[in-house]
Amino acid sequence: MCALDKKQREQDLRELFAVVKGEQPADLAITNVKIVDVYVGDTYDGGLLIHKGSIVALNPDGDTVALARDRFDGQGMYVAPGLIDGHMHVDTELVTPKELAEVICPFGTTAVVAEFLDLCSASREKALENAKILFQKREELPFRLYLEAPAKKVDPKVVKELLEWDGVFALGEFNHYKYCAGTPDTFEQLADAQANGKMQLSHARWSKREQEFNLFPAAGSVAGHDAFEFEDLMMDLRAGHLTMIRQGYGVLQNVTKLMPQVIEKGLPTDHIGVCTDGLALEYLMEAGHMDAIVQTVIDMGMDPIQAIRLATLNIAQGLHLEHEIGSVTPGRRADLIFLKDLSQIRRPQYVFQNGRMVAKDGKLTIQLEGFDYSPLKDSRGPGLDGLTLADVETQYLESRDGDSQRLVRVFNEGVPGEYNWYEDLWMPVKNGSIVCPDDASYLWVIQRYPNGERHVISTFTKDYLVREGGFAITNQSPAPYIAAVGRNLDDMLLAAKEVDRCPGGYAVYTSGQRRGALQLPLAGVISDLDGASFAAEAKNLKRLGEENGFTDPMGWFRQLMMLFWKLDRNSWLNV
């Protein structure tokens, strides 16, 4: 600490002492509340003194309250810590942090532990530059961002730059297989994190072999969020991990599956937290965020304060943030939610962040202005010019019976490493082309900007079933690709070329006509629309999928994004 910093700190401490003693006015006094004590597990009547964004005193006396510059009557409501999402891929929400704030803060979320893997992977050597643009003015947002540098799909040199940035507080997810194999990149990234004093967060479930599981906590991982089964949860806890149970979309409904067992078995929950990992913005707007997850656990029968701890103190303690957030105690930031009924946490009546009211009755009460994300717009042009149906002819492994049948690798449902997510099937040939079976759709995965021969996967899938038309998405992580799925090859080609016109996006064509599209111009992974407009477009795309037989609640384009997760884990992409 330099002399100037020390002098300022001494001055701040003198001011703090004077405020607490009632010799100088505090910024805000909150009165007439029931304080939720997440340490003791009870509530008590009292008030709070807030100064410079922090709680500085519990139950200030009348003279100190009267001296405060501003006062807020809590009307007898409960005041609890602001809610924390313990792990979210903030860029896969597909909107800017400003638009995300408009949605999640009224639900009581005041902090998010955020990984930004897709942005970094798409930005390549400009990852740090683009991260600083995306997370500009983050101190003005009504929720705290604790950023995780990605440990996969990004060049280790870029990861090193990110870890040296004071905007990042931890190293995020590794590719589990590469981590357990002990690749040179793994050791380099772990060493860089430790050299910069950054903790490691991880997935730690893919290998069920306990000997390899030990590699995560032994090398410094403090938390995991990959428990699908109760045995995964127990392995995490026994290793001393903070175990964050997910309640996201698709296969990530782990709170629903695991928490009843936690309650039934009376398992201590001090080292269990909750997170989303990622939720569709259009879903969040209607269903809620961390408030909805905590409410789900309360409705299962867990004590409300114990449930609130899952999204507050437990996460703060496990991620070494307890000195800043997670409780209504002196020295912590004044991130607070106000509740009329402790057992009904959905949509808090008031939300305070950093000592200021940011939401009331489900609506943001502050204006977020001056955020400029336009420098993130990607200037790359189309990459599929000249592509024809001949370039995406269905591939096969071998043929038999005079080429009347061909052996095709067909994609099935399942998680790589846990299930057989593809199978090789003999399929009939008609007029020189493989016949698409009734229980499958055509699937293309097309390299967008080849350096030489274009990499193409052209096959069938049983994951993404549609009745007609063509559906296409772009994907930037770990490399620029376009995926298309459908029953009509001409529509698929039109949809693929439609999304190719923009750095990123989604499109639907049927009978040669464009039915819907959503562009992602910011680094090819994020929309520049406001939240309401984005949600409307996303709902329209989801509806088009449902009309064509795709009934997965995630929506066809978010589910198709998961395809690249599978392909990358199994090294099927040219990176």
Side-chain angles (χ1 to χ4, degrees), residues 22 157 219 410 493 537:
K157 294 179 182 177
V410 178
L493 187 60
E537 295 290 347

Side-chain angles (χ1 to χ4, degrees), residues 4-221:
L4 182 62
D5 290 339
K6 182 179 179 181
K7 184 176 181 179
Q8 181 62 53
R9 184 57 180 159
E10 288 176 354
Q11 183 176 331
D12 291 343
L13 287 167
R14 289 190 181 95
E15 181 178 329
L16 170 66
F17 273 52
V19 168
V20 174
K21 290 179 177 181
E23 298 167 355
Q24 290 185 24
D27 292 334
L28 173 67
I30 296 176
T31 61
N32 189 22
V33 291
K34 298 180 179 69
I35 298 172
V36 177
D37 188 334
V38 290
Y39 285 102
V40 175
D42 67 3
T43 67
Y44 60 94
D45 295 337
L48 303 171
L49 205 62
I50 311 298
H51 193 65
K52 291 187 174 180
S54 293
I55 302 167
V56 297
L58 301 173
N59 299 327
D61 60 34
D63 291 340
T64 304
V65 169
L67 189 63
R69 295 187 180 93
D70 197 8
R71 288 184 289 279
F72 179 79
D73 181 0
Q75 307 164 53
M77 287 185 283
Y78 295 93
V79 60
L83 305 178
I84 307 166
D85 189 335
H87 180 78
M88 171 193 278
H89 289 266
V90 68
D91 44 3
T92 62
E93 297 305 314
L94 307 179
V95 294
T96 64
K98 172 186 175 295
E99 297 304 325
L100 182 62
E102 298 267 5
V103 175
I104 66 174
C105 292
F107 292 122
T109 301
T110 57
V112 172
V113 180
E115 191 157 347
F116 48 109
L117 167 62
D118 285 356
L119 175 81
C120 291
S121 185
S123 302
R124 309 300 190 271
E125 69 279 355
K126 294 177 63 178
L128 178 58
E129 176 185 341
N130 284 351
K132 290 181 177 180
I133 296 170
L134 183 65
F135 301 118
Q136 63 183 275
K137 297 177 31 167
R138 61 188 181 278
E139 69 281 353
E140 296 182 22
L141 291 170
F143 70 100
R144 301 181 192 284
L145 276 166
Y146 294 97
L147 300 178
E148 303 173 59
K152 61 186 180 187
K153 303 184 184 180
V154 180
D155 188 296
K157 294 179 182 177
V158 173
V159 177
K160 183 176 186 295
E161 290 181 350
L162 292 166
L163 289 168
E164 291 170 350
W165 178 35
D166 61 6
V168 162
F169 96 112
L171 180 64
E173 301 172 3
F174 280 87
N175 179 309
H176 317 304
Y177 307 129
K178 293 179 180 178
Y179 183 98
C180 291
T183 64
D185 288 356
T186 297
F187 298 131
E188 181 178 355
Q189 291 168 343
L190 286 172
D192 284 336
Q194 293 172 10
N196 285 281
K198 307 293 173 72
M199 71 184 75
Q200 178 201 341
L201 313 179
S202 65
H203 279 220
R205 180 245 182 187
W206 290 104
S207 173
K208 293 274 188 156
R209 293 170 54 194
E210 192 166 357
Q211 189 77 8
E212 288 188 353
F213 177 87
N214 290 324
L215 294 171
F216 291 92
S221 175

Side-chain angles (χ1 to χ4, degrees), residues 497-511:
K497 292 199 171 184
E498 174 73 25
V499 297
D500 190 42
R501 294 192 183 106
C502 182
Y506 317 117
V508 179
Y509 271 74
T510 57
S511 302

Side-chain angles (χ1 to χ4, degrees), residues 242-259:
L242 166 68
T243 303
M244 288 181 286
I245 305 178
R246 294 177 289 201
Q247 188 74 351
Y249 49 49
V251 298
L252 305 182
Q253 302 280 314
N254 305 136
V255 167
T256 301
K257 181 176 182 178
L258 299 180
M259 204 58 75

Side-chain angles (χ1 to χ4, degrees), residues 287-343:
H289 188 213
M290 302 310 295
D291 62 324
I293 297 177
V294 174
Q295 187 66 55
T296 295
V297 179
I298 292 173
D299 292 344
M300 291 176 179
M302 184 176 285
D303 172 77
I305 297 178
Q306 186 181 10
I308 289 171
R309 277 192 54 147
L310 298 173
T312 57
L313 182 63
N314 293 2
I315 296 174
Q317 287 180 325
L319 300 184
H320 305 172
L321 298 171
E322 184 186 4
H323 62 292
E324 294 183 9
I325 57 176
S327 64
V328 184
T329 51
R332 278 65 173 185
R333 306 305 289 176
D335 299 350
L336 309 166
I337 58 174
F338 290 76
L339 308 165
K340 291 182 179 179
D341 183 344
L342 202 56
S343 65

